[in-house]
Every structure is written in C-alpha cells, then in structure tokens.
Amino acid sequence: MLKIIPKLKNNFLIFTGVLLVCFLVSVWVRNQQFVTWKKTPAAYFVGERPMMTTLDAPYWLRWAREYNEGTYGQKNSLRDYPDKSQRVMKMDFEDSSIPLKYTDSVPASLSNSLPSSRTHKIRFSDVPLLSFMVAHLSTFFNHNYYLTGTLLIPLLASLFILPVGYYFFMIGVPVSGLMGGLIGTFASAYYMRSSIGRIDTDMLNLFFPALMALLILLASKAKTERLVLLFSIGAGLCLLLFHWWYSKTGFALVYFMILVFIFFIQRIRFQTILLSSMLFLLCIRPENFIDSTNAIQGFLRDYSIFQEVATTLVNENEYEPNPASFPNTLTTISEVDRVPMKVVLQRVLSNPLFAWAGFLAFFGLALLRWRVLLPLAPMLALGLMSFLSSNRFIMYLAPFIGFGLGWLLQLGVESIFFLIAKNVRYRELNNGTKALKHKGNEGEPASLWVSFYSLVAGTHFELSTENRENKVKGEKGNAKGFRWELRNINWWNFSRQLVLYLGVGVLFWLISGQTAISFIPGPSIHPRIYATFLEIKNRVPENSALLTWWDYGYAITDATGLATFHDGGSQFGPKTYFTARGIISPDQNELYRITQFMATEGSSGIFENNTSPDTLLQAVHNPKHKPLDPIYIFFTADMTGKYGAISKLGSWDIEKGGSKPRAYQNLA
C-alpha cells in the first residue's frame, strides 16, 4: 500500500510543552495584576490585607480562619440576625411556659444551635473546598488569609486550560484546545470574574466541567472494560469534588445521562454500562443524585428566561389567598442581567465578527464530530444560556468561540500542507511508476477528496492506494524507499506542527487586544471604607447587630465579628425589602419601627403576620418587643450610589406588585 497523503500525527510531548506555555501565560498575566497592585498599596491594601474584588470573598475566608481556629460553624449566628442568633433563641426559649430548670434537657433542635462547652469536632468535608484549601495554605503566608486566597487565583483560574487542551488533542484538533483555553481565560466574561482579589468559586467553575468531559471521553474511548470502569470512577470522583467546591447537585443527573448515552452510542457492552453507571453513582453519593432533580428545577426557576421580575410569596394558605409579595432581589444584581446577543459576544471578543466566526465554526465542527464532543454538552448548554438568561453564563461560552477559531486555523494550515504533500507525492508517482500513473487516475481523486474531508472533519484518515509495481521492486530498493519516506513523513509532521503552534501564538497575539488581557481590577470595597469596618469593631459593643445594606454583610461580619440582618447569602428574603423601605422612607420613625420589628420578630414574625399586606404592615409598624441586643444603623458613603437599587426594592407595592423607584440629584 502506497500512501498518497502522509498520516497526520501530533506529537504528545510537543503539544504538552505548548499547552504548558499557554497555561503559564495565563498564570503570569494574572499575577502581574497583583504586581501592579503592590505599586500603589494605598488603593488596594488595608495594612497587609489585600482588598477583594468580590463581595463574597470574606465568606470563604472567614470559614478558613474558623476552621484553623477550631470554631468552624459556631459563629454562624452572626448571619441573618436575629433568626440565627443563639442569644435570641436562648432567651425566647427561656421565656416559654416551662422554665428550663424544670425540664430534663434542652431540646435537640435548640441544643444544636446553642454554644457548647464540649469540643466541637469538625469534619473536613463540611468545610467548603475553597476555604479548606486556603486554611491549609495560609500557614505558608503567616495566616494572612486574604493574601493566601489572592495568590491562589492565578493558578486555579488558569487550570481549566489543561483538560481543555488534552480533550481536543485526543480528538485530533489540538489547536482548538489551545485557542479555546487562551480566549476562554482572557475573555472579559471570565477574566474579570477570576482576576486578582476575586476569591470565589468561579476560579474552578470551568475546570471541573472540562475535566469531567475529558474523563467521560477517555471512558468512552477506553480499549478494555477495566479502563472504562476506571475512568467512570474518575468521573464520579471528579463530580464529587465539584460538588464540594460549588455545592450544586444538579450536575449529577446531567453528567450521569451524558455518560450513559455516550456508552450506548459507542456500543459498549450493556453489563459494562450498568456496572460503570453504578460505580459513577456511588462515587458522587446517591443523595446528591436524588437531589439533582430539585436542584435543576430551582436553577431554572432562579434564572428563568420567561419571567423578567419574579415575586416571592412568603405565606400561602387557603384562608388568605392574597398574602404580601416581595420584590426579586436578583433584578438589582448586575451579573444576572440579560444582555443583547451582540453584547454577549463582545464580552468574549470586542469585535463581534471574530466572535461570530468562532461561534459558527464550532457548530460546524460539532456537526461533523458530535459523537466525541458530547461530553462538552453541559458546559455548552450553560454558555448558550447567556443568550436567554443571565450574563454570568458568558464565561462558559467563551472557550467554545476559541474552539471554533482554533479549528479554522488548523483547517487552513493543514489544507496548505495537504496541497504540498499531494503535489510532492504525485511528482514521485509520475517519476517512479508509470503503471500507477496510468491506472491510478480514476482512484486518486476520490482518495484525495476523502483525505481532504478527513482534514475538515478532524478524523485524519490514513489513505492509501495499491502500488501494483511493488512486486517488481527489489528488497534493497524497497528498504531504501521506506527509509526516505519515513524521514520525509517525520519532517512533514514536525513542520506542520511547528506552523500550527506558531499560528496559535500569532493569531492570539493579533486578537488579544479584543480580550480583557490588560484589565486591572479594583476593590469591591474601597480601602478607606473597609478601614471603617475595623474602626467599628473598636467602637461598637460586642453582641451588637448592624442594620446596613446586604452587599457588605460578609465583609462586615468577617472584619467586626458583629451580626448583620442580611448578606450575600440571605438577601432574597423579605428582610431585604423592609430594610430598603426603611432606608428610603422620609419618616425616621418608620425606619425605627421596622428595625425594632425585624430585630425582635425576624423572618418568622414576617411569615406569621403575612396573612394580608395590611395585616403585615400593621404588625411591622407596631412592634411589641424590645431588642435583646443593641442595634446600630451603618450607612457608608458609597451607599448613596446604590440608592437606585435600594429604591427599586423599597418602593415595591407588596399588594399589587411593581416598583416606583426614585433617583437622586447632587446639589451644587
């Protein structure tokens, strides 16, 4: 058999070297952000503590510190005051009809939430994975948790490049993996969510789906049943780690369905499919799989594509069909806003034409190679949601635009080498074998077309045609020809790979200006404002509670050790509405009464009195109890700029729905 077109081979070691370069570029650029910060510390640091670029960072860092101190979970009462306040719950219980001293024991429901003198055993699996990592690594940075978390970001945020690269290397289009990693890591939609100071779960929210896809692909392509089972176990453990990291059980059902479906279309033996599925479920824990359906329903409800403004009914009962409704706080959060399709693409590459080219090219590749691209379907589905729902999903779309551009680049380069190889081989055939030249004219064009199709589809078939003159050639001549051909093929493949990988560098250099690669993030909380949190810690008595806007809740609790009424994890309840209503009210007495009611009744009091809007407002405006702890109003200077969002929520009509927000004007 005489080869018409040399087989396309990609050297694993060469590709690994190029992939590591892409990974290190991503790490280095993010680290340069921190280097820039250190040049002007007054704008980015409070003492030795770098400021965060996300309001959720103090949440993870407080858990890390408490885990090291052995107090993890014992200070959760500082959140969602007074509903989780241990002192308030204890006082409420002591005010019950039967004094505690006459009871045999404290009820289990209460004892679980009250301080205990017994040693509190902390299971590492109860601590969020991000906090767990920061806690253990902080010993190398003098227990500066903010610095530890900040220096983790460049490495973790870039890690997804590795599984993405190897995935596309395995299916024969390595350039797609490289371009997908580079564009994905520097697209503004992801780069701004994973820059220095952004200590949050977004750092690995591309890595785990990419690694899951790679492991499922390896399982589907495994040559032996043992390897199928091994990679299925690996996929299950990866998903378990993903749940520890992100705590979203909905992925369990999705990836289970993908795994089973791919095994079926690959015609893997049914007994093997059954066993690998059981091992996968055992690894991800069956309770996570059972809860996945509810998690998916909750996800679709929170990011509804049909409902612009959702309302929350706090109390639904058959006797009062019209309880008060409350505004959806999500409508005031910018990261969940829906943006036009053009803006979606511009948050990947500022020139929509390049983004469209990559987007459409990927779908062209998907049509040709859908079987091997199926493991990426969950990640793609999240990316496509950016066109219909929240813009936070654009980060999942960005790599796919890079995949498409990489495929176009690889297709162009390999087409050139295809034509070169065709001309060289035809010249050899014409000079060396007249019989092949005469009799092969009918078969060669068809073989060439199939060979070219293999380049487009990425399958890279090794095509050959029969050399009828082999029988008349001597063994010496055959050996000599083979050695020459081997040297020629190696040179051809090496040159092709060199041009491909240089092309990746040139292409990314040309379009890097369309990404956010030069972005330098600013702190979410200005250092001078954060410094006031530390001052409050010295001024305000212990066991006090602060009534302020929810977005600083995590940071205030971490810096002061004081309780807050709501924060970034409890802002969706009715207390956010009443806080906003009190802040925008022209009557200070209304703010006073609202605060008194929330500090004594909490969410349970709102729920119990929500038989109708009038009944609820009557109860809120006539509180019956005095707060157990001192309550302070904390208003920061920058909250004036948030007045639009506060007014939108606070002016909500709890009976008819709808808001009438008001603006403000700076006076000369």
Side-chain angles (χ1 to χ4, degrees), residues 74 198 290 423 452 580 625 638:
Q74 299 180 29
R198 190 92 182 190
I290 294 172
N423 292 331
F452 183 73
H625 306 286
D638 64 329

Side-chain angles (χ1 to χ4, degrees), residues 60 454 556:
W60 310 107
S454 72
I556 290 172

Side-chain angles (χ1 to χ4, degrees), residues 36-113:
T36 302
W37 275 24
K38 290 192 293 185
K39 293 178 181 178
T40 52
Y44 301 102
F45 289 80
V46 175
E48 298 296 322
R49 180 177 296 187
M51 290 293 91
M52 300 295 96
T53 57
T54 174
L55 296 168
D56 291 342
Y59 173 84
W60 310 107
L61 299 176
R62 182 162 75 93
W63 291 145
R65 184 176 64 255
E66 292 181 2
Y67 174 74
N68 281 345
E69 294 173 350
T71 60
Y72 177 80
Q74 299 180 29
K75 298 181 181 180
N76 201 36
S77 59
L78 298 178
R79 298 183 57 201
D80 205 14
Y81 184 89
D83 300 280
K84 296 182 179 179
S85 173
Q86 297 168 350
R87 297 182 70 243
V88 173
M89 292 175 66
K90 183 178 180 180
M91 291 298 296
D92 287 344
F93 190 83
E94 290 174 347
D95 289 340
S96 62
S97 58
I98 303 177
L100 282 174
K101 63 181 180 180
Y102 296 119
T103 60
D104 294 331
S105 61
V106 179
S109 60
L110 182 62
S111 62
N112 290 337
S113 58

Side-chain angles (χ1 to χ4, degrees), residues 126-285:
D126 294 333
V127 185
L129 179 55
L130 175 55
S131 303
F132 184 79
M133 295 171 64
V134 172
H136 284 279
L137 293 173
S138 64
T139 56
F140 299 100
F141 301 95
N142 196 27
H143 291 288
N144 186 334
Y145 296 94
Y146 280 71
L147 179 62
T148 304
T150 297
L151 295 180
L152 264 180
I153 295 171
L155 178 66
L156 297 186
S158 307
L159 208 57
F160 82 97
I161 293 176
L162 300 180
V164 160
Y166 285 123
Y167 186 101
F168 280 87
F169 177 83
M170 281 193 60
I171 65 175
V173 277
V175 176
S176 289
L178 297 174
M179 287 300 300
L182 288 172
I183 292 179
T185 193
F186 292 119
S188 63
Y190 180 67
Y191 190 54
M192 293 180 180
R193 298 180 66 88
S194 59
S195 291
I196 284 297
R198 190 92 182 190
I199 303 174
D200 205 352
T201 52
D202 285 332
M203 287 187 287
L204 288 181
N205 278 359
L206 286 181
F207 169 75
F208 282 112
L211 183 58
M212 278 294 302
L214 177 61
L215 290 170
I216 292 176
L217 178 69
L218 289 169
S220 67
K221 287 184 168 294
K223 302 298 184 182
T224 64
E225 180 176 320
R226 182 177 297 179
L227 286 177
V228 172
L229 299 178
L230 181 63
F231 286 123
S232 298
I233 292 173
L237 294 176
C238 175
L239 191 55
L240 182 64
L241 285 175
F242 191 20
H243 177 257
W244 187 13
W245 174 265
Y246 196 40
S247 189
K248 301 294 182 183
T249 56
F251 288 101
L253 177 61
V254 174
Y255 278 109
F256 176 78
M257 295 172 62
I258 290 289
L259 181 74
V260 173
F261 180 68
I262 289 178
F263 283 172
F264 270 108
I265 66 174
Q266 293 291 344
R267 298 181 180 180
I268 294 176
R269 202 162 60 99
F270 179 76
Q271 291 86 342
T272 305
I273 296 176
L274 185 62
L275 182 56
S276 61
S277 301
M278 292 177 61
L279 292 173
F280 180 82
L281 291 177
L282 287 175
C283 289
I284 65 175
R285 299 173 63 175

Side-chain angles (χ1 to χ4, degrees), residues 469-517:
E469 301 298 316
N470 280 341
K471 294 181 180 180
V472 299
K473 290 185 177 180
E475 293 182 1
K476 184 177 180 180
N478 283 340
K480 182 179 179 181
F482 175 78
R483 288 195 299 269
W484 181 90
E485 186 176 2
L486 182 63
R487 289 196 301 269
N488 188 45
I489 292 176
N490 286 339
W491 172 88
W492 188 85
N493 268 299
F494 178 79
S495 301
R496 181 185 57 83
Q497 291 177 84
L498 181 63
V499 174
L500 277 175
Y501 299 144
L502 286 176
V504 170
V506 172
L507 178 59
F508 181 72
W509 177 73
L510 291 174
I511 65 174
S512 61
Q514 299 180 33
T515 66
I517 194 169

Side-chain angles (χ1 to χ4, degrees), residues 300-564:
L300 295 176
R301 182 178 61 250
D302 292 339
Y303 295 99
S304 173
I305 63 176
F306 304 108
Q307 195 171 358
E308 291 294 333
V309 179
T311 60
T312 303
L313 298 180
V314 176
N315 185 19
E316 297 179 355
N317 61 66
E318 56 184 335
Y319 304 107
E320 295 291 343
N322 188 33
S325 66
F326 297 93
N328 183 6
T329 310
L330 281 173
T331 61
T332 64
I333 302 176
S334 60
E335 72 172 22
V336 299
D337 286 344
R338 179 181 175 183
V339 297
M341 181 178 292
K342 181 179 179 181
V343 177
V344 170
L345 297 174
Q346 286 178 332
R347 293 189 181 180
V348 179
L349 295 173
S350 59
N351 188 336
L353 294 178
F354 280 93
W356 268 117
F359 184 70
L360 296 176
F362 172 77
F363 277 95
L365 177 63
L367 288 175
L368 297 168
R369 306 296 309 280
W370 65 272
R371 291 176 181 269
V372 293
L373 291 175
L374 267 178
L376 290 171
M379 187 172 167
L380 176 61
L382 288 174
L384 293 178
M385 282 192 67
S386 59
F387 294 119
L388 302 173
S389 182
S390 168
N391 68 85
R392 70 177 300 170
F393 298 114
I394 304 175
M395 59 182 273
Y396 295 99
L397 180 68
F400 290 92
I401 291 177
F403 299 154
L405 291 175
W407 182 57
L408 291 178
L409 173 62
Q410 182 163 338
L411 184 60
V413 172
E414 292 187 341
S415 295
I416 294 173
F417 275 81
F418 170 85
L419 295 175
I420 294 173
K422 182 198 71 171
N423 292 331
V424 170
R425 186 53 53 90
Y426 274 6
R427 191 177 300 114
E428 294 174 2
L429 295 177
N430 290 331
N431 293 334
T433 310
K434 294 182 179 180
L436 183 63
K437 178 182 177 182
H438 177 71
K439 298 182 179 182
N441 287 336
E442 296 182 0
E444 289 167 10
S447 298
L448 289 172
W449 275 112
V450 175
S451 182
F452 183 73
Y453 173 79
S454 72
L455 293 178
V456 176
T459 52
H460 301 328
F461 295 120
E462 180 180 2
L463 302 176
S464 61
T465 186
E466 185 176 0
N467 183 359
R468 300 180 185 274
E469 301 298 316
N470 280 341
K471 294 181 180 180
V472 299
K473 290 185 177 180
E475 293 182 1
K476 184 177 180 180
N478 283 340
K480 182 179 179 181
F482 175 78
R483 288 195 299 269
W484 181 90
E485 186 176 2
L486 182 63
R487 289 196 301 269
N488 188 45
I489 292 176
N490 286 339
W491 172 88
W492 188 85
N493 268 299
F494 178 79
S495 301
R496 181 185 57 83
Q497 291 177 84
L498 181 63
V499 174
L500 277 175
Y501 299 144
L502 286 176
V504 170
V506 172
L507 178 59
F508 181 72
W509 177 73
L510 291 174
I511 65 174
S512 61
Q514 299 180 33
T515 66
I517 194 169
S518 59
F519 170 72
I520 302 296
S524 296
I525 305 176
H526 194 280
R528 285 183 293 179
I529 292 178
Y530 189 89
T532 64
F533 299 170
L534 303 178
E535 185 179 350
I536 286 174
K537 182 178 181 180
N538 299 325
R539 290 192 180 191
V540 175
E542 294 183 4
N543 298 322
S544 298
L546 300 181
L547 181 72
T548 186
W549 197 232
W550 64 266
D551 51 1
Y552 286 173
Y554 287 144
I556 290 172
T557 299
D558 180 58
T560 66
L562 301 174
T564 59

